[in-house]
Amino acid sequence: MDTDLVRDLGVPDRREAAADALVALGADAVERLVRELTDEESGVDWRPISDVLERIGDAGFDGLLRGLVSASAESSRKHIGFAFSHLGPSALDRYTAALSHPVPAVRREAVRGIQYCGEAGRTAVAALLPLLGDRDQEVARQVQDTLIFQGPYVIPKLQRIREQGPGRQRARALTALAELGGEPALSRADVAAIERLIRVKLPDDRPEGMWACWNHWIAVPGGDQAGIVQMLGLVDPRPVTFALGNDIVDADGHGCGQDEPHDGYERVFVTPELDGWTLVLGAWCDPCGKERSEDVLRLCTELSARYGRAHAYYYGGQGDGSAWLVAEQGTVIRRYCETGEGEDELLTLGEPLPYERARRVELGLRPDWDPAEESQDDEEEWRWTAHDLARDIARFFGVSPLDISADTPSRGTGVVALTPYGVAHGVTAGAYRI
């Protein structure tokens, strides 16, 4: 076979003619195409190779299956797996048969292949369910993810597994149910079991630092968790471990800006008292976003009138900026935002905090400044510094959720509660760490 035909699949203006010629060769081209997938020096992407093997049909499927079984290097298995799992609905029956293959890599890629068949893959759901209990955890996890991808259609089948077994399938069926339907999809027995597990873990639970990509929080001195929950209008507070509270905050934060009605404002994690402060974590606490900034300003003002002080912060864990709001005795002392957005300056209130002034002096800048009078270099230096400053300011005033650890003094139990937004719109489904 002409080796150049395979290499021509990597040349845009020759790809179509090469593909047609290779399909015409049929089974004679398969071994060379699969070998190209394992070549680290190849300039041909796996996609056009997969397309040709799909058009060749059964011989292409069998060649990729043999390649998966014999591949010794992880990179080779990866490239062959990509091609194998993208053969499309025409290979659905072959994927279904491969679910019983003795080699875990074949079973895993066959499951992926069924997922990539889209709606056509629904016909293979019954064959997928037993693999929720596969001895290979990567296979079982891929089945779990593929069933979630199929959507609410599979909920009754997963509920039946929870009720009737087999036992090996029940744990991952529960995770998939939680992802697809949340608590409403779970039986009362399952909900009770989860709540019991949380109660068992709570006595030994220790603080864990927040790990979200986008971190928003309100900080209030003292440990009056119940009073803070009431003042913020939060309802249905449920005890949670730190891992569970942080995981919910992170998952909800990634939902911000996505399809309505769920945009991350539905729930917050209210910590126990941590080194003299109670923290309320979640996107609903955002002091600088246009949807929440004015309400958070009001809430912090009211909290500070009762507790003497209340702060709100935003810190982008991926270099997405900072914001801080400080209220004392019912008055806003300072609000400042540096996220790179064009209207950040419109949120500025009050005079610079002592910490801001001190930081500017360290940089060789004037402690008090007017942006209109700053040189471009000075303004740029301050903006870069302020971009990451929220974490430091929170630490200076009291405690930052990004820095707490098992050694942080803690008193009480954290809760996840619904915000007024969550009461009105409900919460998105999800499975979380406990």
Side-chain angles (χ1 to χ4, degrees):
M1 193 193 78
D2 188 351
T3 299
D4 288 341
L5 281 177
V6 178
R7 298 295 166 86
D8 282 351
L9 291 175
V11 182
D13 59 352
R14 299 179 187 172
R15 182 174 299 150
E16 186 174 349
D20 289 343
L22 289 163
V23 171
L25 287 169
D28 292 337
V30 170
E31 183 179 349
R32 181 66 188 83
L33 287 163
V34 174
R35 192 161 63 246
E36 189 71 20
L37 290 168
T38 68
D39 184 355
E40 295 288 342
E41 305 299 322
S42 174
V44 184
D45 188 68
W46 62 267
R47 293 171 183 83
I49 295 178
S50 183
D51 290 343
V52 170
L53 291 168
E54 178 185 357
R55 291 170 62 188
I56 289 174
D58 286 349
F61 184 99
D62 291 337
L64 285 168
L65 190 150
R66 289 192 299 271
L68 268 178
V69 171
S70 62
S72 57
E74 179 62 30
S75 59
S76 296
R77 279 195 299 273
K78 181 178 178 181
H79 293 149
I80 295 172
F82 284 155
F84 180 81
S85 61
H86 284 77
L87 293 175
S90 63
L92 181 58
D93 289 343
R94 302 295 304 276
Y95 284 141
T96 304
L99 294 177
S100 60
H101 197 281
V103 175
V106 174
R107 298 198 300 276
R108 184 175 66 250
E109 296 304 333
V111 174
R112 283 199 179 103
I114 291 169
Q115 177 174 324
Y116 296 145
C117 285
E119 275 196 31
R122 285 188 175 184
T123 61
V125 164
L128 286 171
L129 291 172
L131 272 70
L132 282 170
D134 197 279
R135 288 182 173 81
D136 186 281
Q137 290 305 303
E138 289 187 24
V139 175
R141 176 58 185 266
Q142 188 59 54
V143 172
Q144 172 190 300
D145 293 345
T146 297
L147 290 170
I148 291 169
F149 179 82
Q150 291 294 332
Y153 160 79
V154 300
I155 285 179
K157 301 178 186 300
L158 295 168
Q159 289 172 328
R160 194 172 303 117
I161 290 173
R162 288 300 301 169
E163 293 169 3
Q164 303 173 9
R168 291 179 63 88
Q169 301 170 26
R170 296 183 79 246
R172 290 197 179 274
L174 179 61
T175 300
L177 276 172
E179 281 287 355
L180 286 167
E183 187 173 324
L186 306 182
S187 69
R188 283 191 291 182
D190 280 340
V191 172
I194 293 169
E195 292 175 342
R196 186 165 56 251
L197 177 59
I198 293 171
R199 289 196 301 271
V200 168
K201 286 180 170 286
L202 280 174
D204 297 321
D205 194 44
R206 298 300 304 153
E208 290 184 10
M210 193 177 184
W211 60 71
C213 295
W214 302 281
N215 302 279
H216 313 85
W217 71 95
I218 292 172
V220 183
D224 185 15
Q225 185 190 72
I228 294 167
V229 165
Q230 183 179 34
M231 284 197 68
L232 293 176
L234 307 176
V235 300
D236 193 22
R238 296 187 178 188
V240 293
T241 60
F242 272 90
L244 180 52
N246 281 334
D247 211 19
I248 287 173
V249 168
D250 185 41
D252 286 355
H254 280 86
C256 284
Q258 296 184 7
D259 293 341
E260 294 290 350
H262 302 297
D263 51 16
Y265 300 145
E266 300 92 347
R267 294 175 288 191
V268 290
F269 173 34
V270 188
T271 70
E273 183 178 350
L274 297 171
D275 202 12
W277 290 77
T278 299
L279 308 179
V280 185
L281 313 177
W284 187 74
C285 303
D286 185 2
C288 60
K290 63 181 180 179
E291 295 89 354
R292 294 292 307 149
S293 59
E294 291 311 303
D295 197 35
V296 171
L297 182 74
R298 175 185 62 81
L299 292 171
C300 285
T301 302
E302 294 173 355
L303 287 166
S304 73
R306 177 170 176 176
Y307 296 103
R309 182 182 290 179
H311 304 167
Y313 297 93
Y314 163 67
Y315 181 81
Q318 307 295 321
D320 298 315
S322 285
W324 51 92
L325 185 159
V326 176
E328 296 180 359
Q329 307 298 331
T331 301
V332 175
I333 303 300
R334 179 64 161 165
R335 182 172 67 179
Y336 190 82
C337 180
E338 198 64 73
T339 65
E341 298 295 330
E343 297 183 349
D344 279 349
E345 66 275 7
L346 299 180
L347 290 171
T348 301
L349 295 172
E351 297 300 318
L353 299 169
Y355 188 90
E356 292 176 64
R357 292 189 175 99
R359 190 72 184 91
R360 285 180 63 86
V361 169
E362 290 175 6
L363 295 169
L365 305 175
R366 290 181 299 168
D368 294 286
W369 75 102
D370 182 346
E373 298 176 1
E374 287 254 289
S375 72
Q376 186 172 350
D377 287 346
D378 286 355
E379 182 181 0
E380 192 69 19
E381 183 169 9
W382 173 244
R383 284 185 171 177
W384 275 111
T385 300
H387 212 70
D388 285 326
L389 210 56
R391 182 175 188 168
D392 296 335
I393 290 176
R395 191 188 301 121
F396 172 80
F397 275 115
V399 62
S400 163
L402 299 149
D403 298 313
I404 63 175
S405 69
D407 297 327
T408 302
S410 175
R411 184 170 63 88
T413 298
V415 298
V416 163
L418 292 179
T419 67
Y421 189 94
V423 173
H425 297 279
V427 300
T428 187
Y432 310 105
R433 295 193 318 139
I434 294 178

